[in-house]
Amino acid sequence: MTPTNRKRARTATALLAASLGLHSLAGADEGMWTFDNLPAAQLKQRYDFTATPRWLERARLASVRFNDGGSGAFVSADGLVLTNHHVALGQLQKISSAKRDYVKNGFFARTRSQEVKCPDLELNQLVSYENVTARVLGAVDPKASDQKQNEQRKAEIARIEKESSDKTGLRCDVVELYQGGEYWLYRYKKYTDLRLVMAPEAQAAFYGGDPDNFTFPRFDLDFAFFRVYENGKPVHPKSYFRWSRAGAKEGELVFVSGNPGSTDRLKTVSQLEYERNYHLPDDLAILRHRRLALLAYSAKGTEEARRAKNLLFGIDNAIKAISGELAGLRDGTLMARKLKQEKAFRAQAAARADLRRYGDAWDKIAAVQDKLAARHKQLMFRNLFGSRLAGLATTIVRYVVEVKKPNDKRYKEFRDSALDSLNFRLFSPAPVYKDLEEAALADCLRQSLEELGPDDAHVRAALGGETPQEKAHELVSGTRLDQPAARKALITGGIKAVEASKDPLIVWARAIDPAYRKLRKWSEDEIESVETAEGRRLAKARFALYGKSLYPDATFTPRLSFGRVAGYEQGTTRIPYKTTFYGLYDRAASFDDRPPFDLPARVARERGDRALLATPLNFVTTNDIIGGNSGSPVFNRHLEYVGLIFDGDIQSLVGRYIYDDAQNRAVAVHSSAILAALRRIYHCDALARELTGR
Amino acid sequence: MTPTNRKRARTATALLAASLGLHSLAGADEGMWTFDNLPAAQLKQRYDFTATPRWLERARLASVRFNDGGSGAFVSADGLVLTNHHVALGQLQKISSAKRDYVKNGFFARTRSQEVKCPDLELNQLVSYENVTARVLGAVDPKASDQKQNEQRKAEIARIEKESSDKTGLRCDVVELYQGGEYWLYRYKKYTDLRLVMAPEAQAAFYGGDPDNFTFPRFDLDFAFFRVYENGKPVHPKSYFRWSRAGAKEGELVFVSGNPGSTDRLKTVSQLEYERNYHLPDDLAILRHRRLALLAYSAKGTEEARRAKNLLFGIDNAIKAISGELAGLRDGTLMARKLKQEKAFRAQAAARADLRRYGDAWDKIAAVQDKLAARHKQLMFRNLFGSRLAGLATTIVRYVVEVKKPNDKRYKEFRDSALDSLNFRLFSPAPVYKDLEEAALADCLRQSLEELGPDDAHVRAALGGETPQEKAHELVSGTRLDQPAARKALITGGIKAVEASKDPLIVWARAIDPAYRKLRKWSEDEIESVETAEGRRLAKARFALYGKSLYPDATFTPRLSFGRVAGYEQGTTRIPYKTTFYGLYDRAASFDDRPPFDLPARVARERGDRALLATPLNFVTTNDIIGGNSGSPVFNRHLEYVGLIFDGDIQSLVGRYIYDDAQNRAVAVHSSAILAALRRIYHCDALARELTGR
């Protein structure tokens, strides 16, 4: 399952980067392209297709970003949005309770009045964008230190965002692309009144569970419908995808529009080595530690299991994804290819008088990796992943301090342009389960202690001489931050209120803040500033050599990829381009209906429905996607909706570093499967009619 | 698909061998055990099962060997024998014609009078056996040269076989086991009146074709029924397997009785290196060369394609199997394990005063491999694989000479004990297609010329200055050996008739005979004699260290293996223990019914039959099998028939060298699938009743 865009814990460095040794793109369906820079010649030559500006605008406006970490699309004139069940899962869990478990049983609004408002879901639609590279770089003094330049660049970005959002009222983000080669201002329309319309049972959506995750052939109904409201009424979007009659066909050209989260294709070999030797192993250690703690919590009872489900799902998903990435980096083949590409790029740059001066950039970046390696444990094992309350507390403590600074001096996440969305999440009425919070926080503290030892500044402040279990219990049982009103009061009260607060979690968050700020400053000054500066130098060399025949690394911003519906060879046999419902019932019967291969009753009931059995269920395409693309529409050249991205196959995991169309496949729910499920399994006939007009 | 027991072309050396570095068998389902030496303690401990002598006898007598190269079992009181469709394929092809294509359309005898006699099928049933090691080794003078000892051993074996067959009228074979550690006299009852009862369409039996061969999950109806007659009446076997009501269940203990063809688990590392560097690559070169020639022939028309089908099937199957074996040997892991085992064995032998003297055996065997390497091209590329007429001619020419010698001086295949079966095949009325023969023979000659050059003794004699195409045309068009009567006349006429014959193919076979005899003598004297002698020394060391806690390498003689019905992990997902008919229809629909994933009309018609859909189709077990086990019964502890072996998965191919139960699986047709197919697809109700009594 394509992971939603889980932010990596490596502070700021993950978003920066380096350069690439380039391989030819000719003939491949590679690329997560920005809407302004589709490879027109390639599309024309491979598929005899030309994207007109009107076509591109319609595709862009029909696509949305889910700020929970996914993508989606408008599919009706009345604001219906289709995404993955696993993107909707967080909201489904937040509106569920012990008595009404929509995750387990599915959710079906048969009339508009039954549609349920989501507590803290925000959608973004990219309505306009412009290149602001000249302005950002113009504000930077090239003779200043790396650190100074970094500050100047960030300040100018903050100014651009603020100006634009003040003027338009839109969410305005300046996005760094091509490792600092370009900066673009993206203006998004925000939607915050989202209502749940329909979601199948989790077991139908995530059929086969963790074993079948990142696997094809596959048999998942991983879809969910929301409706977008404004002023209490469904919106009528300027653009939406029409439902295809036939759905995806073998060999046809298809597009995927969505928000790929992050790729590392342009990183230097030394950066990839850091990933391989430190970052990914540390990341896995955190995930596995937390997983065991949450499994122990879940084992206490069905209600505990229900509460932890979404978090555990995300952890399992990330473990499988990161394991695949790490296996790729540890496999000599991939690194050898990367090394060869880098050597070629260096040689080409060295051969040109005007580019020769960039030759030391690789070495400077490599030197930074050694610095990182020396502190990798601090960078990773001070994190509080898994505890929502701890995240809220530390955010509040930083929030009140940061917003007092000039806009351009703040941490990025507290800039004016980001505050609306942040407040929306901060004041979310979604339920907080204290027992779950305590288990997660205790585990965070326990792992920090194990990995960093009792003398680490963060550990000392976070434990204050107590055991992790004692501390977590004290903090969680005593806090009132589970109430949105308590959080609001602190934000409204500002620094004074936070400093006066006796809420144990706030007291604690204040205590650990200095160590956090110190480490972050070190990371920004010593790591980020160098990686950005040197990355930009490499970007210059790259532009000079290759122009804009390339796409930037993914940044959880709107991209378009193209490809074709196609099976592949695996081992010594063939994998078909699609599966059918026959296959779903085969897999269930083959495992004698044992979990995670059991069927929800509604699905099991239809196992003799001959028309349903032969219906396409999932299919694969060569489109270049990655986590964050979950919920992306798959559409054909006529902008018809033919499928719904929900995963990549296991061979796609190394796609974080390199794309190879032999076996790298995007996995999608076939549009015919969605329609057949609505009509023949869930009897949502009105919804089916809204999609098809029939 | 488990290959039938294709004899390897490496003259005599393939059956000899060497020694093993032993790994512990405790806890694994490893082993192709002889009926006299089941690992009782292991079975008791792992499965709480004890095989009584009566149980073993019933299992042995209910099992049969197909001399076409496979296995089978009695499944009714009226002599019904069940085996694989791909074991029956040769006979099916021989009774088919352009007008009645039983391969394509299936064969269905609805009454006994419709059952059709097979032209040259022989079954063997092992009725008794005894250990003759003392007698064989007693006849060998340990002070004589290796070559002399080899002759003495062979002579004694010939005497034992002749005495026993004169006395019992049975087929009597002395079998070398444990690399010469033991010799056993096996007495077989022969059945030669076999009649075809039922066979599905080849496309149902071999669904998924070459891509899905050696693959699981799998969806094949790879079965066929024969009936055994004697004196014009169905036999009533002393023992047969009762049909299980439920069929194979997950986790249960199951046995496989059959005739695994050959394994190389006891070979030394130097012998495996020869396999890897010469034998297997040469073998693949021959198969691929012949395949292209036969594809060109098949492309001429549907009748040509029909005629070549069985041969091409065998070639494709062997290419995939040998490629898997070669990949295994080329993968460092396997060789490293073998080397480690061998080192341990050598160290243990060296540590014991009484075994130390065997320490040079490995080096002597290694020296022989160098000799083999120097002549590997002659040994491999003089072969006539694929041409039935050339095989008949060379056999006749040798036959008349050999049978004039004393029994114990003959080539093994012409000893008295072997002549009945040989004659049965030699005089077979099965059709010979001259156009196909010419294509195959021309290709043999062409490859010999390419690989050995025009000055090779065999090539010079075989071509006589002509081109391969000219020569093949001249030989095949002029010969009368396609007539069984012509072959009989030559055998009856003996040396005189053969020497006087002007049949061009006989003249040609006489011309190439000297080179053949010279090479074979070299191989027996220089290679076989050393490998046997040194192999026996290693066998002594092995017996001294491990007793009979081990099983011998496979020799296409009756063996019993045990295991459990069990799925496995593959990549990052799970493979179930079985498939169902749902899965068959899914695979067909997933490929939009494109060959080789199309369905025969009779099968396609039932795609809505709900009772059929959920029926188990194929399943996997941990039983240790290999080519030659095709058609073997899978039965439970109550001697009930629960499945029919027809293949191993791709991970089983390295099983030739090493067994690992993590992923090595035997693949079988579920007994419920056979019954459901008979009743619901083919409407063979009488046959179904005969199996179940209901």
PDB file of all heavy atoms in Angstrom, chain A residues 244-263:
ATOM      1  N   SER A 244     -15.297   6.633 -16.569  1.00  0.00           N
ATOM      2  CA  SER A 244     -15.132   5.890 -17.817  1.00  0.00           C
ATOM      3  C   SER A 244     -16.114   4.719 -17.879  1.00  0.00           C
ATOM      4  O   SER A 244     -16.371   4.063 -16.881  1.00  0.00           O
ATOM      5  CB  SER A 244     -13.704   5.350 -17.898  1.00  0.00           C
ATOM      6  OG  SER A 244     -13.615   4.283 -18.802  1.00  0.00           O
ATOM      7  N   ARG A 245     -16.626   4.449 -19.070  1.00  0.00           N
ATOM      8  CA  ARG A 245     -17.542   3.314 -19.196  1.00  0.00           C
ATOM      9  C   ARG A 245     -16.804   1.986 -19.068  1.00  0.00           C
ATOM     10  O   ARG A 245     -17.271   1.053 -18.436  1.00  0.00           O
ATOM     11  CB  ARG A 245     -18.269   3.344 -20.552  1.00  0.00           C
ATOM     12  CG  ARG A 245     -19.591   4.083 -20.488  1.00  0.00           C
ATOM     13  CD  ARG A 245     -20.252   4.164 -21.860  1.00  0.00           C
ATOM     14  NE  ARG A 245     -21.459   4.978 -21.788  1.00  0.00           N
ATOM     15  CZ  ARG A 245     -22.691   4.476 -21.576  1.00  0.00           C
ATOM     16  NH1 ARG A 245     -22.878   3.182 -21.438  1.00  0.00           N
ATOM     17  NH2 ARG A 245     -23.728   5.280 -21.516  1.00  0.00           N
ATOM     18  N   ALA A 246     -15.635   1.892 -19.705  1.00  0.00           N
ATOM     19  CA  ALA A 246     -14.941   0.602 -19.763  1.00  0.00           C
ATOM     20  C   ALA A 246     -13.880   0.461 -18.680  1.00  0.00           C
ATOM     21  O   ALA A 246     -13.506  -0.643 -18.303  1.00  0.00           O
ATOM     22  CB  ALA A 246     -14.289   0.428 -21.136  1.00  0.00           C
ATOM     23  N   GLY A 247     -13.354   1.556 -18.196  1.00  0.00           N
ATOM     24  CA  GLY A 247     -12.256   1.472 -17.235  1.00  0.00           C
ATOM     25  C   GLY A 247     -10.944   1.190 -17.941  1.00  0.00           C
ATOM     26  O   GLY A 247     -10.876   1.150 -19.172  1.00  0.00           O
ATOM     27  N   ALA A 248      -9.902   0.987 -17.132  1.00  0.00           N
ATOM     28  CA  ALA A 248      -8.552   0.821 -17.678  1.00  0.00           C
ATOM     29  C   ALA A 248      -8.461  -0.393 -18.596  1.00  0.00           C
ATOM     30  O   ALA A 248      -8.954  -1.459 -18.269  1.00  0.00           O
ATOM     31  CB  ALA A 248      -7.569   0.672 -16.525  1.00  0.00           C
ATOM     32  N   LYS A 249      -7.815  -0.200 -19.748  1.00  0.00           N
ATOM     33  CA  LYS A 249      -7.637  -1.297 -20.704  1.00  0.00           C
ATOM     34  C   LYS A 249      -6.151  -1.576 -20.879  1.00  0.00           C
ATOM     35  O   LYS A 249      -5.322  -0.656 -20.809  1.00  0.00           O
ATOM     36  CB  LYS A 249      -8.262  -0.940 -22.045  1.00  0.00           C
ATOM     37  CG  LYS A 249      -9.772  -1.102 -22.053  1.00  0.00           C
ATOM     38  CD  LYS A 249     -10.358  -0.880 -23.425  1.00  0.00           C
ATOM     39  CE  LYS A 249     -10.194   0.566 -23.846  1.00  0.00           C
ATOM     40  NZ  LYS A 249     -11.403   1.265 -24.203  1.00  0.00           N
ATOM     41  N   GLU A 250      -5.809  -2.825 -21.165  1.00  0.00           N
ATOM     42  CA  GLU A 250      -4.403  -3.193 -21.291  1.00  0.00           C
ATOM     43  C   GLU A 250      -3.722  -2.355 -22.376  1.00  0.00           C
ATOM     44  O   GLU A 250      -4.257  -2.179 -23.472  1.00  0.00           O
ATOM     45  CB  GLU A 250      -4.259  -4.676 -21.642  1.00  0.00           C
ATOM     46  CG  GLU A 250      -2.798  -5.111 -21.637  1.00  0.00           C
ATOM     47  CD  GLU A 250      -2.637  -6.626 -21.617  1.00  0.00           C
ATOM     48  OE1 GLU A 250      -3.576  -7.325 -22.047  1.00  0.00           O
ATOM     49  OE2 GLU A 250      -1.579  -7.098 -21.175  1.00  0.00           O
ATOM     50  N   GLY A 251      -2.558  -1.846 -22.044  1.00  0.00           N
ATOM     51  CA  GLY A 251      -1.748  -1.137 -23.029  1.00  0.00           C
ATOM     52  C   GLY A 251      -2.068   0.337 -23.179  1.00  0.00           C
ATOM     53  O   GLY A 251      -1.289   1.072 -23.780  1.00  0.00           O
ATOM     54  N   GLU A 252      -3.185   0.802 -22.643  1.00  0.00           N
ATOM     55  CA  GLU A 252      -3.551   2.195 -22.928  1.00  0.00           C
ATOM     56  C   GLU A 252      -2.742   3.205 -22.103  1.00  0.00           C
ATOM     57  O   GLU A 252      -2.266   2.901 -21.013  1.00  0.00           O
ATOM     58  CB  GLU A 252      -5.058   2.433 -22.769  1.00  0.00           C
ATOM     59  CG  GLU A 252      -5.541   2.641 -21.365  1.00  0.00           C
ATOM     60  CD  GLU A 252      -7.016   3.101 -21.319  1.00  0.00           C
ATOM     61  OE1 GLU A 252      -7.461   3.851 -22.198  1.00  0.00           O
ATOM     62  OE2 GLU A 252      -7.711   2.693 -20.371  1.00  0.00           O
ATOM     63  N   LEU A 253      -2.600   4.393 -22.682  1.00  0.00           N
ATOM     64  CA  LEU A 253      -1.929   5.500 -22.011  1.00  0.00           C
ATOM     65  C   LEU A 253      -2.801   5.998 -20.863  1.00  0.00           C
ATOM     66  O   LEU A 253      -3.972   6.294 -21.064  1.00  0.00           O
ATOM     67  CB  LEU A 253      -1.706   6.635 -23.020  1.00  0.00           C
ATOM     68  CG  LEU A 253      -1.299   8.000 -22.464  1.00  0.00           C
ATOM     69  CD1 LEU A 253       0.087   7.947 -21.816  1.00  0.00           C
ATOM     70  CD2 LEU A 253      -1.319   9.055 -23.578  1.00  0.00           C
ATOM     71  N   VAL A 254      -2.213   6.089 -19.680  1.00  0.00           N
ATOM     72  CA  VAL A 254      -2.952   6.635 -18.540  1.00  0.00           C
ATOM     73  C   VAL A 254      -2.082   7.630 -17.776  1.00  0.00           C
ATOM     74  O   VAL A 254      -0.853   7.556 -17.811  1.00  0.00           O
ATOM     75  CB  VAL A 254      -3.439   5.536 -17.567  1.00  0.00           C
ATOM     76  CG1 VAL A 254      -4.583   4.739 -18.156  1.00  0.00           C
ATOM     77  CG2 VAL A 254      -2.294   4.616 -17.153  1.00  0.00           C
ATOM     78  N   PHE A 255      -2.769   8.538 -17.104  1.00  0.00           N
ATOM     79  CA  PHE A 255      -2.099   9.572 -16.311  1.00  0.00           C
ATOM     80  C   PHE A 255      -2.461   9.406 -14.846  1.00  0.00           C
ATOM     81  O   PHE A 255      -3.552   8.931 -14.522  1.00  0.00           O
ATOM     82  CB  PHE A 255      -2.530  10.962 -16.786  1.00  0.00           C
ATOM     83  CG  PHE A 255      -2.168  11.230 -18.213  1.00  0.00           C
ATOM     84  CD1 PHE A 255      -3.016  10.853 -19.254  1.00  0.00           C
ATOM     85  CD2 PHE A 255      -0.952  11.841 -18.537  1.00  0.00           C
ATOM     86  CE1 PHE A 255      -2.674  11.087 -20.573  1.00  0.00           C
ATOM     87  CE2 PHE A 255      -0.607  12.076 -19.856  1.00  0.00           C
ATOM     88  CZ  PHE A 255      -1.466  11.694 -20.877  1.00  0.00           C
ATOM     89  N   VAL A 256      -1.534   9.810 -13.998  1.00  0.00           N
ATOM     90  CA  VAL A 256      -1.799   9.838 -12.564  1.00  0.00           C
ATOM     91  C   VAL A 256      -1.470  11.241 -12.077  1.00  0.00           C
ATOM     92  O   VAL A 256      -0.367  11.748 -12.300  1.00  0.00           O
ATOM     93  CB  VAL A 256      -0.949   8.812 -11.803  1.00  0.00           C
ATOM     94  CG1 VAL A 256      -1.078   9.024 -10.290  1.00  0.00           C
ATOM     95  CG2 VAL A 256      -1.356   7.394 -12.167  1.00  0.00           C
ATOM     96  N   SER A 257      -2.462  11.868 -11.435  1.00  0.00           N
ATOM     97  CA  SER A 257      -2.276  13.205 -10.898  1.00  0.00           C
ATOM     98  C   SER A 257      -2.330  13.104  -9.382  1.00  0.00           C
ATOM     99  O   SER A 257      -3.273  12.545  -8.832  1.00  0.00           O
ATOM    100  CB  SER A 257      -3.412  14.095 -11.429  1.00  0.00           C
ATOM    101  OG  SER A 257      -3.495  15.273 -10.698  1.00  0.00           O
ATOM    102  N   GLY A 258      -1.307  13.610  -8.703  1.00  0.00           N
ATOM    103  CA  GLY A 258      -1.315  13.481  -7.246  1.00  0.00           C
ATOM    104  C   GLY A 258      -0.112  14.142  -6.619  1.00  0.00           C
ATOM    105  O   GLY A 258       0.589  14.926  -7.279  1.00  0.00           O
ATOM    106  N   ASN A 259       0.120  13.812  -5.361  1.00  0.00           N
ATOM    107  CA  ASN A 259       1.144  14.507  -4.579  1.00  0.00           C
ATOM    108  C   ASN A 259       2.191  13.552  -4.008  1.00  0.00           C
ATOM    109  O   ASN A 259       2.189  13.250  -2.815  1.00  0.00           O
ATOM    110  CB  ASN A 259       0.467  15.274  -3.441  1.00  0.00           C
ATOM    111  CG  ASN A 259      -0.575  16.241  -3.964  1.00  0.00           C
ATOM    112  OD1 ASN A 259      -0.258  17.375  -4.306  1.00  0.00           O
ATOM    113  ND2 ASN A 259      -1.804  15.775  -4.063  1.00  0.00           N
ATOM    114  N   PRO A 260       3.085  13.069  -4.878  1.00  0.00           N
ATOM    115  CA  PRO A 260       4.125  12.157  -4.382  1.00  0.00           C
ATOM    116  C   PRO A 260       4.901  12.827  -3.253  1.00  0.00           C
ATOM    117  O   PRO A 260       5.277  13.995  -3.365  1.00  0.00           O
ATOM    118  CB  PRO A 260       4.994  11.886  -5.612  1.00  0.00           C
ATOM    119  CG  PRO A 260       4.673  12.974  -6.596  1.00  0.00           C
ATOM    120  CD  PRO A 260       3.251  13.357  -6.319  1.00  0.00           C
ATOM    121  N   GLY A 261       5.133  12.085  -2.152  1.00  0.00           N
ATOM    122  CA  GLY A 261       5.653  12.688  -0.933  1.00  0.00           C
ATOM    123  C   GLY A 261       7.105  13.072  -0.987  1.00  0.00           C
ATOM    124  O   GLY A 261       7.469  14.233  -0.830  1.00  0.00           O
ATOM    125  N   SER A 262       7.957  12.107  -1.185  1.00  0.00           N
ATOM    126  CA  SER A 262       9.369  12.460  -1.303  1.00  0.00           C
ATOM    127  C   SER A 262      10.127  11.342  -1.992  1.00  0.00           C
ATOM    128  O   SER A 262       9.836  10.166  -1.818  1.00  0.00           O
ATOM    129  CB  SER A 262       9.980  12.751   0.073  1.00  0.00           C
ATOM    130  OG  SER A 262      10.163  11.566   0.799  1.00  0.00           O
ATOM    131  N   THR A 263      11.072  11.733  -2.823  1.00  0.00           N
ATOM    132  CA  THR A 263      11.983  10.780  -3.456  1.00  0.00           C
ATOM    133  C   THR A 263      13.402  11.272  -3.205  1.00  0.00           C
ATOM    134  O   THR A 263      13.611  12.434  -2.838  1.00  0.00           O
ATOM    135  CB  THR A 263      11.748  10.698  -4.982  1.00  0.00           C
ATOM    136  OG1 THR A 263      11.777  12.024  -5.532  1.00  0.00           O
ATOM    137  CG2 THR A 263      10.424  10.048  -5.304  1.00  0.00           C
TER     138      THR A 263
END
